Amino acid sequence: MRMRSLLFVPGDSEKKFAKAREAGADVLILDLEDSVAPSMKDEARQIVTGWLDQAADVDAALFVRINPLDTGLTLADLAAVVRPGLGGLLIPKANGAHDIERIGHYLDALEEKAGMAAGTVKIAVVATETPAAMFALGSYQQAGARLVGLTWGAEDLGAAIGITDNKEPDGSWTFPYQVARAQCLFAAAAAGVAPLDTLYANFKDPEGLEVDCRRARRDGFTGRVAIHPAQVETINRCFSPSEDEVAFARRVVDLFAANPGIGTLGLDGKMLDIPHLKAAEKVLASAGE
Ligand code: COA
Ligand code: MG
């Protein structure tokens, strides 16, 4: 599953779903959590259910962000949305792999009830929204085969630790946030799943988004969350390898293939060894080769 752009759609807005399905995102995250007012949760479940039933006519994979496990809303969310058309869940405020395991058990039963093949519903996690979650990031290595990605969140973590701001005057993340972002990246790599950068809040700043996406990709993120359809094109482009990158990666892979049994080679006056080969293979995979 391609996961360059994951566009949030508030689960109670028919208008936004109509816009979002045309936006070109790889994944739509149909939200039942923080973008839906408490009084609208029931209605949003019904609306989202209707969208899932249209999945065959939507190019994007459909994920649902359910409410966190400690809200008492999770089971009703799952009972409503686990049905054909659901590609995955986004789990907010998770505190480690044991939360994912618990949701996996619910999914095992609900998939059976819905007549879906076991394991159909994938899981992505917002892995840094509580202080305790910061200490559980290593556990995702044991999270099992449903887990496909980890992302990190800035707003809820900040509220929990009582920060007054999360950005430096130049717009970069403050140190605690750099830690959360980097730890999310390492945790995803360790678990063998996609590292997904957090949202870029100013949806009227395409240049800033572009710079920030390039930085994220440089650091190893393979996609990111979007909050507005206008962000999707930039995100998709920035998280796709350029033609030059693909061409170079192909040369690296071809060179190693032509020299079996040799672990280090020269190309254009530079040394290449196995990590370069692995990086090149990743570039080709992300280009769909
Ligand atoms: N998905 C689909 N359509 C969206 C959208 C989204 N995430 N965000 C905006 N749109 C639509 C608007 O409805 C509007 O449609 P219209 O032209 O038919 O009126 C159009 O795109 C332009 O929107 P704009 O006026 O630029 O923004 P806004 O003030 O209407 O909305 C937000 C701003 C932030 C409220 C909106 O982008 C949003 O709801 N984002 C997602 C929020 C969310 O899910 N948060 C949870 C995760 S952090
Ligand atoms: Mg939140």
Side-chain angles (χ1 to χ4, degrees):
M1 185 190 335
R2 247 182 156 182
M3 289 196 295
R4 296 167 304 176
S5 53
L6 302 93
L7 173 62
F8 269 106
V9 189
D12 55 0
S13 173
E14 292 285 4
K15 184 177 98 171
K16 284 182 182 162
F17 181 67
K19 285 236 148 160
R21 58 188 289 174
E22 308 301 329
D26 292 331
V27 178
L28 298 184
I29 303 175
L30 315 175
D31 189 28
L32 295 176
E33 198 215 7
D34 285 347
S35 71
V36 176
S39 62
M40 290 294 289
K41 297 285 185 192
D42 259 333
E43 194 169 334
R45 281 183 196 119
Q46 285 181 28
I47 292 172
V48 165
T49 297
W51 297 346
L52 293 170
D53 292 343
Q54 301 168 48
D57 302 322
V58 180
D59 286 336
L62 300 183
F63 277 42
V64 173
R65 182 167 75 169
I66 58 172
N67 288 283
L69 281 166
D70 62 2
T71 57
L73 299 170
T74 312
L75 288 176
D77 289 346
L78 291 173
V81 304
V82 179
R83 59 201 291 124
L86 179 67
L89 299 172
L90 180 65
I91 315 296
K93 301 180 183 68
N95 280 314
H98 56 93
D99 283 350
I100 304 318
E101 199 182 342
R102 188 167 147 201
I103 288 166
H105 291 318
Y106 300 148
L107 288 175
D108 289 342
L110 291 167
E111 283 173 341
E112 175 73 22
K113 173 121 194 285
M116 300 163 78
T120 302
V121 180
K122 304 302 179 203
I123 293 179
V125 176
V126 196
T128 68
E129 287 191 299
T130 73
M134 291 299 301
F135 297 93
L137 285 165
S139 70
Y140 290 108
Q141 291 167 78
Q142 280 87 47
R146 290 186 191 271
L147 187 70
V148 291
L150 296 184
T151 186
W152 68 286
E155 301 311 323
D156 294 276
L157 181 63
I161 57 181
I163 59 158
T164 58
D165 200 354
N166 56 23
K167 291 283 181 72
E168 299 290 354
D170 69 357
S172 61
W173 294 110
T174 57
F175 185 65
Y177 283 82
Q178 291 182 30
V179 171
R181 180 174 181 273
Q183 290 283 80
C184 171
L185 184 65
F186 291 126
V193 301
L196 305 167
D197 205 358
T198 197
L199 59 91
Y200 188 80
N202 184 350
F203 56 82
K204 297 211 160 130
D205 177 21
E207 289 84 19
L209 173 65
E210 171 119 17
V211 169
D212 206 61
C213 288
R214 297 210 173 281
R215 208 175 275 150
R217 177 150 184 263
R218 174 202 68 191
D219 290 349
F221 288 98
T222 56
R224 86 181 298 171
V225 165
I227 50 162
H228 193 290
Q231 297 183 315
V232 169
E233 188 275 329
T234 302
I235 293 176
N236 284 349
R237 182 162 39 76
C238 290
F239 288 99
S240 303
S242 68
E243 279 175 29
D244 287 352
E245 285 173 293
V246 174
F248 181 75
R250 203 175 290 123
R251 286 177 68 208
V252 171
V253 169
D254 289 349
L255 185 66
F256 276 96
N259 293 277
I262 299 184
T264 184
L265 293 160
L267 181 66
D268 302 340
K270 290 200 180 114
M271 185 204 76
L272 297 176
D273 58 9
I274 301 301
H276 296 96
L277 174 61
K278 285 188 181 154
E281 286 168 344
K282 267 194 181 175
V283 168
L284 293 185
S286 70
E289 296 195 15

